[in-house]
Amino acid sequence: MLLTVEEAQKRILAHPLPIMPTERVSLLQAWGRVLAEDIVSGDDIPRFTNSSMDGFAVLANDLSQASTAQPVALRVKGTIAAGHPSAQSLAPGEAYKIMTGAPLPEGADAVVQSEWTQIPEENQVLALAAVRPGQNVRPKGQDIQRGEQVLQTGSVIKAPIVGILATVGRKEVMVYRKPRVAIIATGDELVDPGQELEPGKIRNSNSYALAASSLAAGAEPLIFPPAADTQEMISQRFRQASSADIILSSGGVSVGDFDWVKNVLSTEGSLELWRVNMKPGKPVTFGTLHNRPFFGLPGNPVSALVTFELFVRPVIRMMMASHHWQRRVLSLPLYQPFSEVHDRRHYVRSRLVQDGDRLYVWPYQKQDSAVQSSWREAEALMVVPENSGPYRSGEVLPVILLTTDS
Ligand code: AMP
Ligand code: MG
């Protein structure tokens, strides 16, 4: 019996995974990282009561009867621009012209927006509408209160969080260090881009695709030169890779004559899991090597990426202490029939299509695990249960979104 994907994920995540140490980074370097401190605001935000409109600061009470038929005239004492608080206060019968974001003058309690005013003569304004106290006003502390915890350890720092950090005055912030992921492709046939291809050789694409996936997951990839298919070479590379936090290899985990990765793993570390009931990616391997989590991913380019997505990415996110390490899964109807039936769980590279206001899943035609072109713009993996199908258009299947975390 092969392990199910869920069982394999559970076993991998139950493994004692080290959490990365923390480091201090500047605001922009913090983007995409995981917050390693709770952020408490030292200020009320906004710091002062201010106008949310361009208009006139007033006393709401003065305008309680104002309408287009019966405008109320007020004396304009001056203009308050953003960044320039007024030294004087406002008395009944008076108004200040005020800009969005400018501090409300002492004594005012509302703003009537420009659209509801007329200027009959200099230093006078006619209000054409009543305002409630507090209308068009952003009170001090409305957004965040002094002493309030605004952000929590474990949050992924996206643009709004960068904005909040700047708002509360942070120039630097503590984050978890990026896990370093060592990537070692194995195979006698592999040649890196830029080097000459002899007959029978192919390009090493996995190292680069896995490095890109590691970057996207928030890690720091370290590409090692490919290892030839001998136990000695593979063992040597894995030892070199042990300065990283996670070790990934691709290729050499199947049942071929030159598939040495599992041997090296069980001799020099421990092999904890091999083969999962999935397509592509069945021979995926997990264990501990040089005290590091080790993944032996299959060599087929699509298998390598699918197993990275399902098994490696969650580990990277966990080690970064992220609260968000699982992808969102939606139930979506098929846009076209899907007729392939397999005895293993099938992770099908798919696009999403919007037709009217409905979202559909649209699998790529070619699903062979060596076909990379059908991964090109894949946004999703449709999950087809083992021994099920064929499916008609409109039938609903679970779909893993490759673009968002839950
Ligand atoms: P393996 O798992 O070593 O049996 O490899 C399975 C298939 O993937 C073979 O066709 C390999 O040539 C191919 N392959 C293995 N490693 C890579 C790589 N790094 N880049 C591209 N293709 C690879
Ligand atoms: Mg191989």
Side-chain angles (χ1 to χ4, degrees), residues 18-339:
I19 300 293
M20 293 295 97
T22 59
E23 61 186 4
R24 186 182 299 279
V25 295
S26 69
L27 264 195
L28 278 186
Q29 287 175 319
W31 180 86
R33 309 290 293 272
V34 177
L35 198 56
E37 56 174 325
D38 294 333
I39 303 290
V40 173
S41 179
D43 274 321
D44 286 316
I45 308 294
R47 291 183 58 227
F48 47 86
T49 300
N50 66 92
S51 177
S52 69
M53 291 283 174
D54 293 325
F56 290 84
V58 296
L59 261 167
N61 196 37
D62 282 348
L63 303 190
S64 58
Q65 303 302 317
S67 66
T68 33
Q70 276 189 309
V72 172
L74 298 168
R75 193 169 69 80
V76 180
K77 272 185 98 177
T79 299
I80 307 172
H84 300 279
S86 155
Q88 290 174 36
S89 58
L90 180 140
E94 294 177 340
Y96 268 97
K97 192 170 191 195
I98 193 164
M99 309 299 146
T100 304
L104 209 68
E106 198 72 36
D109 65 358
V111 171
V112 56
Q113 63 193 95
S114 299
E115 290 84 339
W116 289 100
T117 63
Q118 277 173 3
I119 314 284
E121 59 186 77
E122 214 185 329
N123 300 332
Q124 213 188 56
V125 62
L126 292 179
L128 308 177
V131 283
R132 285 174 281 103
Q135 196 167 338
N136 302 325
V137 167
R138 303 191 280 224
K140 172 177 171 169
Q142 176 193 44
D143 185 358
I144 298 166
Q145 290 189 351
R146 183 198 170 103
E148 182 183 332
Q149 185 184 314
V150 267
L151 298 172
Q152 230 190 334
T153 299
S155 307
V156 178
I157 303 175
K158 297 189 179 164
I161 291 189
V162 173
I164 292 170
L165 287 167
T167 296
V168 302
R170 297 299 296 256
K171 209 170 91 172
E172 293 178 325
V173 67
M174 295 302 289
V175 298
Y176 291 95
R177 177 162 72 61
K178 293 181 188 183
R180 286 191 281 261
V181 179
I183 298 168
I184 303 119
T186 71
D188 280 1
E189 71 278 36
L190 302 177
V191 176
D192 272 321
Q195 287 169 3
E196 201 180 333
L197 274 182
E198 314 247 308
K201 308 287 184 188
I202 64 164
R203 292 293 180 203
N204 166 23
S205 67
N206 286 351
S207 294
Y208 300 92
L210 291 170
S213 299
S214 302
L215 282 174
E220 182 187 327
L222 304 169
I223 297 180
F224 285 77
D229 284 317
T230 67
Q231 189 151 357
E232 297 68 40
M233 266 315 297
I234 291 172
S235 158
Q236 188 194 325
R237 279 282 184 279
F238 286 177
R239 222 170 309 116
Q240 290 169 341
S242 62
S243 61
D245 302 300
I246 300 174
I247 307 174
L248 290 191
S249 70
S250 83
V253 285
S254 205
V255 291
D257 288 357
F258 307 100
D259 288 348
W260 293 112
V261 170
K262 295 190 304 298
N263 290 49
V264 174
L265 179 60
S266 36
T267 315
E268 299 178 26
S270 69
L271 190 159
E272 288 161 35
L273 175 162
W274 178 51
R275 295 216 290 190
V276 176
N277 182 21
M278 62 188 292
K279 175 193 154 58
K282 179 170 109 175
V284 63
T285 305
F286 174 75
T288 309
L289 185 62
H290 307 307
N291 281 322
R292 306 282 185 275
F294 171 89
F295 292 88
L297 305 182
N300 272 315
V302 176
S303 313
L305 284 187
V306 171
T307 50
F308 180 97
E309 174 62 35
L310 295 181
F311 303 113
V312 184
R313 190 178 185 279
V315 165
I316 291 175
R317 307 297 287 172
M318 286 281 222
M319 288 173 62
M320 291 165 74
S322 169
H323 289 165
H324 304 275
W325 53 272
Q326 266 177 319
R327 296 296 204 186
R328 282 190 196 283
V329 181
L330 293 181
S331 295
L332 290 179
L334 273 163
Y335 195 58
Q336 305 256 303
F338 186 77
S339 53

Side-chain angles (χ1 to χ4, degrees), residues 2-9 276-282 306 310-311 329 338 340-348 381-388 391 397-398 400:
L2 292 175
L3 277 178
T4 63
V5 167
E6 286 74 16
E7 185 57 35
Q9 282 172 329
V276 176
N277 182 21
M278 62 188 292
K279 175 193 154 58
K282 179 170 109 175
V306 171
L310 295 181
F311 303 113
V329 181
F338 186 77
E340 284 186 40
V341 176
H342 289 284
D343 58 355
R344 278 178 278 145
R345 173 93 63 87
H346 195 177
Y347 289 83
V348 181
L381 291 172
M382 180 174 85
V383 187
V384 181
E386 44 276 45
N387 302 309
S388 75
Y391 290 91
L397 282 162
I400 302 171

